[in-house]
Amino acid sequence: MIGSRFKFTAALLAAAAFLLGGSTAYAVSPDVAPSLTYSMLTHQEEGFDASIQIPILVGTGNADLEAAVNARSLEASVALYRDFMSRMAELKAEGSRNYALTAVSKVAAYGDGLLTLEHSRTEAMASSETVVRYETIDLGTGRELALSDLFKDDGYSKVLSGIVKAQMKEQMKKDESKSYFLDELEKNFEIGKDQPFYIESGKLVLVFNQGTVAPYSMGTCTFEIPTKEIQGSLAPSQNRLR
């Protein structure tokens, strides 16, 4: 069954390469709202369990756009499945049987010509860890946006880092249950182009995975960035933030 899955995968990825080979402009119907349906990659045996959703974008009104996005999603899901199988083989060789992987996706935000998908991956062994990735898609071009695409130059990193640290300090003053790694972050903290983010209702939201800027007990941390504080750093063509 796995062999047939990968033959199917290869065919879809070949189609994706054709679709993404040139620069394509897409028109998304304003009368429909994008959503996700799912296929699955799974593996269960004693001590090992993988459950990986393959998100399938529908409802944009544009089949070519959906095919391009879905090919990327399929490629990422298959890569995750292969990683699971490799890790399982390593653990078996070590005499260990205690590993589970769950991957799920959902629509996180939609509006202003953007669609953001949230991809969440949880790995469990002696303990569990969840990593969240956001895929922000420009529905006009079909391409995935990086955080750096929103800004005119690399100066945005220092600006955003300062805003986030200021919000952390303010939160800790108001709520004793919140604790961030401020001492470490003051020395070595830089928001780069690969920083997870999404845009919702015209606001930029930065997302930090579990354990990266705060103890694991605080989970995933998000910070809404006031547009007025980054106005001077935005790219001239950027009109999605307000």
Side-chain angles (χ1 to χ4, degrees):
M1 187 168 82
I2 296 302
S4 62
R5 276 181 180 160
F6 284 124
K7 288 179 182 178
F8 175 68
T9 297
L12 284 183
L13 293 181
F18 173 78
L19 284 168
L20 298 173
S23 65
T24 307
Y26 297 104
V28 177
S29 172
D31 300 322
V32 294
S35 61
L36 295 177
T37 62
Y38 303 94
S39 184
M40 296 293 296
L41 281 172
T42 62
H43 183 90
Q44 285 90 31
E45 63 177 271
E46 182 184 355
F48 298 99
D49 188 347
S51 177
I52 301 170
Q53 283 185 342
I54 304 174
I56 303 168
L57 177 63
V58 297
T60 67
N62 189 297
D64 289 342
L65 168 63
E66 291 168 4
V69 173
N70 291 338
R72 291 202 300 261
S73 296
L74 177 62
E75 184 175 18
S77 298
V78 170
L80 189 57
Y81 182 84
R82 286 173 170 158
D83 287 345
F84 169 84
M85 297 299 286
S86 295
R87 181 63 177 144
M88 182 178 69
E90 292 173 358
L91 290 169
K92 283 183 176 180
E94 296 169 2
S96 175
R97 283 184 172 270
N98 180 22
Y99 180 46
L101 171 67
T102 304
V104 298
S105 299
K106 67 178 183 179
V107 173
Y110 170 58
D112 296 319
L114 296 178
L115 171 69
T116 300
L117 305 180
E118 178 185 294
H119 306 290
S120 177
R121 182 183 82 245
T122 300
E123 292 184 88
M125 293 181 67
S127 60
S128 66
E129 179 180 13
T130 298
V131 175
V132 180
R133 178 177 68 87
Y134 288 88
E135 179 184 8
T136 297
I137 302 160
D138 185 326
L139 292 175
T141 64
R143 69 182 283 262
E144 181 179 356
L145 294 182
L147 181 63
S148 57
D149 293 329
L150 305 177
F151 298 93
K152 61 185 180 183
D153 56 42
D154 291 342
Y156 75 89
S157 178
K158 184 176 181 180
V159 172
L160 291 178
S161 298
I163 293 171
V164 169
K165 284 189 287 187
Q167 289 190 16
M168 289 177 177
K169 292 174 183 177
E170 187 63 24
Q171 288 180 24
M172 289 172 65
K173 284 182 181 179
K174 293 180 178 179
D175 187 347
E176 292 183 355
S177 68
K178 292 193 173 183
S179 175
Y180 295 100
F181 302 143
L182 280 175
D183 289 343
E184 181 180 339
L185 296 174
E186 289 288 359
K187 300 174 184 176
N188 184 23
F189 181 56
E190 182 176 342
I191 292 174
K193 64 179 181 179
D194 296 325
Q195 169 68 41
F197 77 98
Y198 59 92
I199 295 173
E200 186 171 33
S201 301
K203 300 298 181 185
L204 173 63
V205 181
L206 301 183
V207 183
F208 295 87
N209 276 302
Q210 189 179 25
T212 56
V213 296
Y216 274 87
S217 58
M218 284 185 58
T220 300
C221 300
T222 62
F223 298 86
E224 183 177 297
I225 307 301
T227 303
K228 65 180 180 180
E229 296 186 27
I230 57 174
Q231 199 71 57
S233 302
L234 294 173
S237 60
Q238 180 50 242
N239 58 5
R240 293 184 171 108
L241 298 177
R242 54 187 181 273

